[in-house]
């Protein structure tokens, strides 16, 4: 079982930046896909970015490419999402998640069986 806790959300002006963090605990010694998702009111949950905990390859949805950076510190068991150039369209609850997979591109929310509680990001 893997436990995830997000932090770092808040309010920011258009064009600003935020860095989200996700602590990882539990039996996550094997290779996992670690990802960030977001959900705005009235919208479906959508993927933002993901990486492989073992290989470190990163994958981005179009909404994030060029603005967001996903990274992982295995020693500290932390996942990060650096978000730059934020717009009101980025307003959502952001979740970190883990999937017991080693190949991450194209995985949907249903493949991620471990989820954090979410952290609110508001851009105005």
């Amino acid at each position: 079982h893997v436990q995830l806790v997000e932090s770092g959300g808040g309010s920011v002006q258009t064009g600003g930046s935020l860095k989200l963090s996700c602590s990882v605990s539990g039996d996550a010694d094997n290779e996992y896909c670690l990802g960030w998702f977001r959900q705005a009111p009235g919208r479906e949950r959508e993927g933002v970015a993901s990486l492989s905990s073992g290989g470190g390859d990163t994958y981005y949805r179009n909404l994030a490419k060029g603005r967001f950076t996903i990274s992982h510190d295995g020693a500290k068991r932390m996942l990060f999402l650096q978000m730059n150039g934020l717009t009101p369209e980025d307003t959502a609850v952001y979740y970190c998640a883990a999937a017991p997979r080693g190949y991450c591109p194209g995985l949907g929310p249903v493949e991620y069986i471990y989820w954090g509680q979410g952290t609110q990001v508001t851009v105005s």
Side-chain angles (χ1 to χ4, degrees):
H1 184 73
V2 175
Q3 298 182 47
L4 307 165
V5 180
E6 305 95 336
S7 63
S11 298
V12 66
Q13 297 295 309
T14 298
S17 299
L18 283 174
K19 187 174 184 178
L20 307 182
S21 300
C22 175
S23 64
V24 182
S25 62
D27 57 346
D29 295 329
N30 295 327
E31 189 172 21
Y32 280 80
C33 294
L34 300 172
W36 288 97
F37 294 80
R38 70 185 190 185
Q39 186 167 23
R43 295 185 179 182
E44 298 293 323
R45 187 168 298 187
E46 62 182 348
V48 176
S50 65
L51 57 72
S52 169
S53 64
D57 296 328
T58 59
Y59 311 94
Y60 297 93
R61 296 288 297 274
N62 288 336
L63 64 92
K65 186 173 293 185
R67 298 190 299 135
F68 297 178
T69 302
I70 186 172
S71 60
H72 179 237
D73 187 332
K76 296 183 178 180
R77 307 186 76 183
M78 296 289 293
L79 180 72
F80 304 99
L81 182 68
Q82 177 67 50
M83 304 186 294
N84 300 322
L86 289 165
T87 76
E89 294 295 322
D90 298 313
T91 295
V93 176
Y94 284 71
Y95 301 87
C96 60
R101 302 284 192 92
Y103 185 73
C104 305
L107 295 184
V110 296
E111 303 290 345
Y112 289 82
I113 62 176
Y114 304 110
W115 293 85
Q117 83 289 346
T119 185
Q120 177 71 47
V121 172
T122 303
V123 186
S124 61

